[in-house]
Amino acid sequence: MHIFSLYRSYLRQVRLLPHLYLRQFFQVRARNDIQAILDTKEEIRQTRKIKNISKRVQRLEKANNRDIKSFLRILNLAYGRTGKLKWELLEHTSAPTYNPQRPALPTSHLLPRAQKAPHNSLTKGQESLAPRHLHHPAHNAPRADPNSDDAKLFGPFSKRREVNIRWRWYKSELKKVLPPLEVEVKGSESALDELNKEGQFYPRPLAMQGLGVFQDAESVIGDTLFPRQPLTRRERRMASRDDLQQSQQVPNRHPSRWVRRRYRTLLASLPQLVYDPDAQNENLFRVNTSSLALTTTHKGTRYDPPADETTLAWIQPSSTRSIK
């Protein structure tokens, strides 16, 4: 009965989540977690799984109580920034598996011809990947280069050690990749038909293509970060009927500013992969960041909304007097 009590507590916390996609995601995850416990026959392993799932329920409870770290954690899990979903998204963007025994491009897990610029934009952190590191990783020993002075002095480097270094470097770089949810197609309808063609390797749709998960995350924040301020008493007396109706419209977004702030942080790690077949350069892919994302450049800035006619009428006389 303890397992079913845990399941009820799990679902109780899931129902309190502020967004429909989060509730759907964690309902499925709760069912899979409890099924994994029931399928486990060994008592020791079952106890260990119950303990781990109890911690997940506690994390959901903290997220519902507005703990920032816990809420960002469940957002990263639900949108594939970490956890099992991330690797499932990476499988849809993967080319053939990288073989560290030959000097192939370790970034072949990305889409073909999505070269260094998208790769740097799809990775977290501010350090970009230099092109020379694709063939010679930065942590590789100098003796790995047969033309180096160390190789001539101490002899050739062990191939087994070189393979291990390359593989560890590849795995560490792969963990930095932030997989996109879908490919946005620019251009004519023929480009979209080419993307939806079955068996197409390049370009091809990604795991969440057409589900609108990215647009759904943006809808939590709303169309604009700074909606129009409510009218003052003087402005209401001077405004027309249409202006009054526009000022009384409720913005289409989540009512909680705290939730919107967390989703803006999430959008900073959700890259938009755009495929443009009519691009002038060779790179047909580019990576964009949502204009609603809370990046590092936005944290120290302040937005001043555009001035209305009444404010401009007060500003202009004061500016002319200061000039005189």
Side-chain angles (χ1 to χ4, degrees), residues 19-35:
H19 192 219
L20 177 61
Y21 174 75
L22 292 179
R23 293 192 291 269
Q24 292 175 345
F25 178 85
F26 282 99
Q27 280 177 359
V28 175
R29 194 183 189 202
R31 183 169 61 248
N32 294 338
D33 289 343
I34 299 302
Q35 188 63 42

Side-chain angles (χ1 to χ4, degrees), residues 121-139:
S121 302
L122 289 172
T123 54
K124 54 186 175 182
Q126 299 183 359
E127 294 185 1
S128 59
L129 187 65
R132 65 179 183 275
H133 293 162
L134 299 179
H135 295 282
H136 301 287
H139 298 289

Side-chain angles (χ1 to χ4, degrees), residues 39 60 70 73 92 115 137 147 151 185 202 243 257 265 294 304 307 315 318-319 323:
D39 293 342
L60 285 174
S70 300
R73 174 65 179 179
H92 288 266
Q115 298 173 355
N147 298 324
V185 181
Y202 167 74
D243 294 337
R257 181 182 179 274
T265 306
L294 181 62
D304 294 327
I315 292 175
S318 61
S319 62
I323 294 175

Side-chain angles (χ1 to χ4, degrees), residues 73 76 80-83 86-87 118-129 171-179 268-271:
R73 174 65 179 179
N76 291 332
R81 305 305 92 191
T82 186
K86 175 182 178 179
W87 301 105
H119 175 265
N120 295 338
S121 302
L122 289 172
T123 54
K124 54 186 175 182
Q126 299 183 359
E127 294 185 1
S128 59
L129 187 65
K171 298 295 287 185
S172 64
E173 291 296 320
L174 185 60
K175 291 179 181 179
K176 299 177 184 178
V177 176
L178 299 172
S269 60
L270 278 178

Side-chain angles (χ1 to χ4, degrees), residues 90-113:
L90 281 175
E91 288 181 359
H92 288 266
T93 61
S94 298
T97 306
Y98 166 63
N99 185 1
Q101 297 183 359
R102 63 172 186 265
L105 289 180
T107 54
S108 58
H109 56 280
L110 296 176
L111 292 172
R113 299 176 67 179

Side-chain angles (χ1 to χ4, degrees), residues 6 37 39 51 70 83 87 106 121 131 159 185 187 193-194 220-221 228 244 291 296 324:
L6 179 63
I37 295 177
D39 293 342
K51 184 178 179 181
S70 300
W87 301 105
S121 302
K159 291 296 182 182
V185 181
D193 296 337
E194 183 181 1
V220 176
I221 305 171
R228 184 176 178 178
L244 289 176
S291 59
T296 54
K324 293 180 182 180

